[in-house]
């Protein structure tokens, strides 16, 4: 199905958005017997079979992770027949495994799991599936597809690709343009994917050279410290890509302290603070590339449909998809008003 608006690009799957996921199709045209449209039951907003959904994620020690939890809670509260069993969350893999095993023992109908470490938690995903509890694997993917029924998450490579494309288009006519990168935690696969996408995009712009890269830790403090190092080492560059808007708060502090305004900055993830700054257009931050926490709301929709043995509206299949990759839209001053409601705090 073609996407007809910038907002639609956020979600990447025909009918799985935070605002309208899994709603029923309606048509005034007569239905023909035996077609997929008549046989496929699609989840809608009307109360259906009661479903208990277990939700387990990492500790909400980051604005994006807190938004993940809030999106899940808010979406579940929309459905009177959905009971949400949510854990406290932990960044300790053993503790998170224990929390998930508690949900398995409670015999929830469906599990939604955002693992602190996908590889380390693969076995508990397998345990749930073997116990007959289907798993929606949210974002950080398990090492085996047997550990989940459906994966939904962001596009880390696409984040880097779209950040690089945006910067490339802004600098394509500037000879010998220079860019720098403030990455996230380097031992995470997602960080490496974001950098790879960024580097691949820049290959299309031979006039642009990446002259420096620093890895931070997705925190305000490390963002400020690492950005200060970049600014000290690089006396002149044209653009900065920062992987994460939370660490970007620190990066912007370092930039202000250094009195630098000779470049523009592109953020990552889509915080409300970043979008507010983009809208104000009175600083170096000109865009952010989304990694939407609304995926948690869509995961609840998918879990509800799965628990009720229904498919996705807008698709002919009787079952929910096996995987859904969300789109990393670029938010600029021109489209920021569309995306502000999705910005996380």
């Amino acid at each position: 199905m073609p996407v007809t608006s910038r907002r639609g690009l956020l979600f990447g799957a025909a009918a799985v958005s935070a605002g309208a996921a899994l709603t029923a199709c309606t048509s005034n045209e007569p239905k023909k017997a035996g077609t997929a449209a008549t046989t496929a039951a699609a989840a809608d907003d009307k109360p259906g079979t009661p479903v208990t959904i277990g939700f387990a994620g990492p500790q909400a020690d980051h604005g994006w992770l807190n938004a993940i939890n809030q999106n899940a809670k808010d979406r579940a509260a929309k459905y009177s027949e959905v009971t949400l069993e949510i854990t406290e969350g932990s960044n300790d893999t053993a503790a998170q495994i224990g929390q998930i095993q508690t949900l398995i023992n409670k015999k929830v109908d469906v599990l939604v799991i955002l693992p602190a470490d996908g590889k380390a938690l693969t076995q508990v995903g397998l345990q749930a599936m073997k116990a007959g509890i289907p798993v929606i694997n949210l974002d950080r993917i398990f090492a085996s597809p047997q550990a989940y029924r459906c994966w939904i998450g962001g596009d880390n490579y696409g984040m880097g690709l779209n950040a690089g494309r945006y910067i490339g288009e802004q600098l394509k006519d500037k000879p010998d343009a220079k860019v720098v990168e403030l990455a996230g935690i380097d031992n995470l696969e997602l960080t490496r994917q974001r950098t790879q996408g960024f580097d691949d995009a820049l290959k299309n712009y031979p006039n642009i050279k990446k002259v420096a890269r620093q890895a931070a830790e997705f925190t305000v403090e490390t963002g400020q410290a690492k950005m200060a190092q970049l600014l000290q080492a690089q006396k002149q560059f044209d653009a900065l890509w920062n992987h994460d808007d939370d660490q970007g708060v620190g990066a912007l502090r370092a930039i202000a302290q250094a009195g630098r305004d000779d470049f523009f900055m592109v953020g990552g993830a889509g915080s409300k603070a970043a979008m507010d700054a983009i809208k104000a257009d009175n600083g170096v931050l000109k865009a952010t590339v989304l990694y939407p926490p609304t995926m948690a709301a869509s995961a609840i929709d998918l879990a509800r449909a799965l628990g009720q043995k229904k498919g996705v509206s807008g698709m002919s299949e009787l079952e929910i998809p096996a995987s859904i990759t969300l789109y990393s839209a670029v938010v600029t001053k021109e489209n920021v008003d569309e995306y502000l409601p999705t910005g996380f705090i």
Side-chain angles (χ1 to χ4, degrees):
M1 186 173 95
V3 177
T4 56
S5 73
R6 288 190 297 271
R7 181 179 298 278
L9 290 175
L10 234 170
F11 305 101
V16 191
S17 71
L22 312 178
T23 53
C25 286
T26 58
S27 173
N28 293 324
E29 295 182 6
K31 298 178 181 179
K32 298 179 181 179
T35 65
T38 59
T39 57
D44 57 27
D45 289 345
K46 297 176 183 177
T49 305
V51 179
T52 299
I53 300 172
F55 186 94
Q59 182 180 347
D61 56 0
H62 182 281
W64 186 86
L65 286 170
N66 185 64
I68 281 284
N69 287 347
Q70 197 58 53
N71 268 274
K73 292 174 184 177
D74 291 347
R75 197 64 176 176
K78 175 182 175 180
Y79 302 116
S80 61
E81 80 277 24
V82 169
T83 299
L84 186 67
E85 294 274 356
I86 190 166
T87 68
E88 291 183 6
S90 177
N91 292 327
D92 179 82
T93 55
Q96 193 180 17
I97 287 169
Q99 292 169 350
I100 295 168
Q101 287 174 333
T102 296
L103 293 172
I104 293 172
N105 292 335
K106 285 184 176 181
K107 297 183 179 353
V108 297
D109 297 308
V110 187
L111 269 169
V112 176
I113 303 174
L114 198 167
D117 184 317
K119 184 177 180 180
L121 269 76
T122 298
Q123 287 302 314
V124 80
L126 288 166
Q127 181 183 341
M129 292 289 286
K130 288 176 181 177
I133 301 173
V135 173
I136 304 294
N137 181 195
L138 181 59
D139 196 42
R140 299 174 190 171
I141 194 164
F142 291 133
S144 169
Q146 296 185 66
Y148 58 90
R149 165 58 183 83
C150 173
W151 175 84
I152 178 171
D155 185 357
N156 288 293
Y157 179 85
M159 276 188 78
L161 192 68
N162 286 346
R165 285 172 173 168
Y166 175 80
I167 289 173
E169 286 302 301
Q170 305 310 304
L171 298 177
K172 64 183 179 181
D173 296 323
K174 182 177 177 62
D176 302 318
K178 299 176 182 178
V179 301
V180 298
E181 179 182 6
L182 184 63
I185 301 171
D186 251 349
N187 64 359
L188 294 179
E189 178 66 18
L190 65 91
T191 298
R192 294 191 290 270
Q193 290 171 344
R194 292 178 187 185
T195 291
Q196 186 63 59
F198 187 59
D199 290 346
D200 285 352
L202 293 182
K203 290 175 183 177
N204 296 308
Y205 303 93
N207 64 306
I208 301 174
K209 181 180 180 181
K210 186 169 76 171
V211 295
R213 180 185 185 275
Q214 279 278 7
E217 297 178 10
F218 293 140
T219 66
V220 173
E221 295 75 20
T222 61
Q224 184 170 355
K226 298 298 184 179
M227 191 68 230
Q229 293 176 22
L230 276 173
L231 292 168
Q232 182 65 29
Q234 302 297 323
K235 299 303 183 183
Q236 187 279 322
F237 56 89
D238 301 291
L240 158 71
W241 182 44
N242 161 55
H243 284 207
D244 176 74
D245 285 335
D246 274 9
Q247 74 183 23
V249 173
L252 287 168
R253 287 178 186 170
I255 292 165
Q257 288 170 358
R260 296 279 295 270
D261 62 0
D262 54 310
F263 58 89
F264 69 91
M265 174 178 169
V266 175
S271 74
K272 184 178 184 301
M275 293 191 199
D276 286 339
I278 291 165
K279 184 171 182 175
D281 195 25
N282 57 7
V284 298
L285 185 58
K286 300 301 182 183
T288 188
V289 185
L290 295 188
Y291 199 82
T294 48
M295 65 178 72
S298 293
I300 294 299
D301 283 325
L302 289 163
R304 174 177 176 258
L306 195 55
Q308 294 177 346
K309 296 180 173 56
K310 295 181 178 179
V312 176
S313 177
M315 299 181 72
S316 298
E317 289 71 26
L318 293 166
E319 302 285 349
I320 68 169
S323 66
I324 299 169
T325 302
L326 307 186
Y327 185 76
S328 294
V330 179
V331 178
T332 65
K333 184 180 179 181
E334 287 69 33
N335 64 2
V336 65
D337 286 334
E338 287 188 72
Y339 292 107
L340 260 173
T342 73
F344 61 87
I345 299 173

